Amino acid sequence: MAESGGPSLPSARPAHTPLLRAERFVWLTARVLEQRLFAHRFLKGGADPVERALDAYRNEDGGYGHALEPDLRGPVSQPLHTARALHVLDAVGRCGGQRVERVCRYLTSVSTADGALPAVCPSQRGYPVAPFVPVVDDPPSELLATGPVVGLLHRNEVWHAWLFRATDFCWQAVGALEASHPYEIEAAVAFLDGAPDRARAEAAADRLGRLVRERRLAALDPDRLGAYPVAPGYAPGEHHFPHDFARTPESLARAWFTDEEMARSLDFLAAEQQEDGGWPVRWRQWAPAPALEARAGVTIEALRTLRAYGRYVG
């Protein structure tokens, strides 16, 4: 009999569905955290096991480390690890209370002079890190790191003194975006989707949508990927698609794309499932362990996006 709060048994589900293939991939390759997160999202598993697994990555300073974000190795807390921890807590409906208060204290301690977050603090030096992640003595404020955290905390109605200045930074950074790259646009969308000032968020998103189309930052026709540029420094073929910007139909970015463009994008996402049941990592791979650990998270997000749009996955 399954343990109380654990995932339901898979025997009654049809064989060879996308979900069952992904489930096998997760049990075969994923870390305990992603196994429990998968079980919670798709197999009626409880939230407590996810929280217990996440605790293994938490440090005394209130931040998270230990390669929670696979491209940063080592034990030290980093903003990108902590952002991922908040994403997990949000996924299981536990983004509040004393745990998030401790997280906000950590974010305050590492924020820059303008109240925003750097992507990586200098404490990462000496530990393995992806070559495309710079470690510098005086790291700049990054919308990439700050936007998703601020948007998520607002969406969960978390209020903390740190949020006021960080929110101001995000509004200024989003308003200044011009020659951007896809990941920065994704971070902006994550902020705008949770920002309390909805009218301002909708106006900002409308401008960004025009930028995405003018700069061809989204590959609207997956059959003609050669027609869309890959941003400098990205891996060959590291394109971004409508579903990367609008991960749910409720996202402000959904209005950037026609129904036909969105359908093509979701068809492409569904077809990307590999023979082993997992989805591929599209960014630059630099070591075997980070690439394998990242694939489980990518697989869970792919299934989540497909389900959000009503695509049958199992």
Side-chain angles (χ1 to χ4, degrees), residues 15-209:
H16 308 305
T17 66
L19 182 61
L20 192 59
R21 291 167 57 207
E23 181 183 347
R24 176 175 171 77
F25 171 78
V26 167
W27 295 136
L28 184 64
T29 69
R31 302 179 296 192
V32 171
L33 175 61
E34 281 76 25
Q35 290 179 357
R36 290 182 168 179
L37 185 58
F38 181 93
H40 174 76
R41 282 197 179 278
F42 303 106
L43 304 178
K44 300 181 181 179
D48 287 345
V50 181
E51 280 204 272
R52 287 196 294 269
L54 184 62
D55 274 341
Y57 299 89
R58 183 162 57 90
N59 288 322
E60 291 299 317
D61 60 7
Y64 290 77
H66 307 280
L68 179 55
E69 166 54 58
D71 282 332
L72 304 178
R73 316 303 288 185
V76 294
S77 297
Q78 291 293 342
L80 290 182
H81 292 313
T82 306
R84 179 164 288 225
L86 287 172
H87 181 75
V88 171
L89 292 172
D90 179 56
V92 299
R94 301 285 176 87
C95 195
Q98 292 185 352
R99 179 193 290 274
V100 173
E101 175 69 25
R102 290 193 297 268
V103 169
C104 287
R105 288 200 296 268
Y106 164 76
L107 297 175
T108 302
S109 73
V110 298
S111 62
T112 59
D114 53 9
L117 296 174
V120 181
C121 297
S123 56
Q124 184 64 36
R125 188 172 284 112
Y127 297 104
V129 60
F132 47 81
V133 179
V135 181
V136 298
D137 289 332
D138 188 18
S141 302
E142 296 275 6
L143 179 63
L144 192 70
T146 313
V149 169
V150 173
L152 185 151
L153 291 176
H154 279 309
R155 193 172 67 250
N156 283 276
E157 300 182 345
V158 172
W159 290 103
H160 187 274
W162 172 76
L163 268 175
F164 291 99
R165 295 186 67 204
T167 301
D168 287 342
F169 166 81
C170 289
W171 281 124
Q172 293 168 12
V174 169
L177 283 181
E178 289 296 341
S180 188
H181 60 84
Y183 289 118
E184 196 167 36
I185 297 291
E186 288 181 23
V189 170
F191 165 68
L192 295 174
D193 280 347
D197 189 338
R198 299 314 298 154
R200 187 177 180 183
E202 290 169 8
D206 184 64
R207 188 185 74 84
L208 289 185

Side-chain angles (χ1 to χ4, degrees), residues 125-305:
R125 188 172 284 112
Y127 297 104
V129 60
F132 47 81
V133 179
V135 181
V136 298
D137 289 332
D138 188 18
S141 302
E142 296 275 6
L143 179 63
L144 192 70
T146 313
V149 169
V150 173
L152 185 151
L153 291 176
H154 279 309
R155 193 172 67 250
N156 283 276
E157 300 182 345
V158 172
W159 290 103
H160 187 274
W162 172 76
L163 268 175
F164 291 99
R165 295 186 67 204
T167 301
D168 287 342
F169 166 81
C170 289
W171 281 124
Q172 293 168 12
V174 169
L177 283 181
E178 289 296 341
S180 188
H181 60 84
Y183 289 118
E184 196 167 36
I185 297 291
E186 288 181 23
V189 170
F191 165 68
L192 295 174
D193 280 347
D197 189 338
R198 299 314 298 154
R200 187 177 180 183
E202 290 169 8
D206 184 64
R207 188 185 74 84
L208 289 185
R210 292 195 300 271
L211 177 69
V212 165
R213 297 187 76 92
E214 290 167 1
R215 303 295 170 87
R216 302 174 69 79
L217 299 181
L220 303 179
D221 186 352
D223 293 330
R224 299 176 57 249
L225 291 181
Y228 298 92
V230 174
Y234 284 28
E238 192 177 349
H239 293 93
H240 289 243
F241 301 87
H243 66 261
D244 291 313
F245 298 103
R247 295 185 179 274
T248 71
E250 294 75 31
S251 173
L252 292 173
R254 174 62 185 87
W256 301 352
F257 310 107
T258 67
D259 290 347
E260 183 180 0
E261 289 165 348
M262 203 72 221
R264 283 200 300 263
S265 183
L266 294 169
D267 288 343
F268 178 82
L269 177 62
E272 273 204 305
Q273 188 174 22
Q274 306 294 287
E275 285 294 321
D276 61 7
W279 267 259
V281 170
R282 301 188 65 86
W283 60 87
R284 193 177 301 278
Q285 301 178 38
W286 61 282
L292 182 61
E293 291 172 4
R295 282 194 70 200
V298 169
T299 295
I300 291 170
E301 287 304 305
L303 290 169
R304 175 174 173 258
T305 296

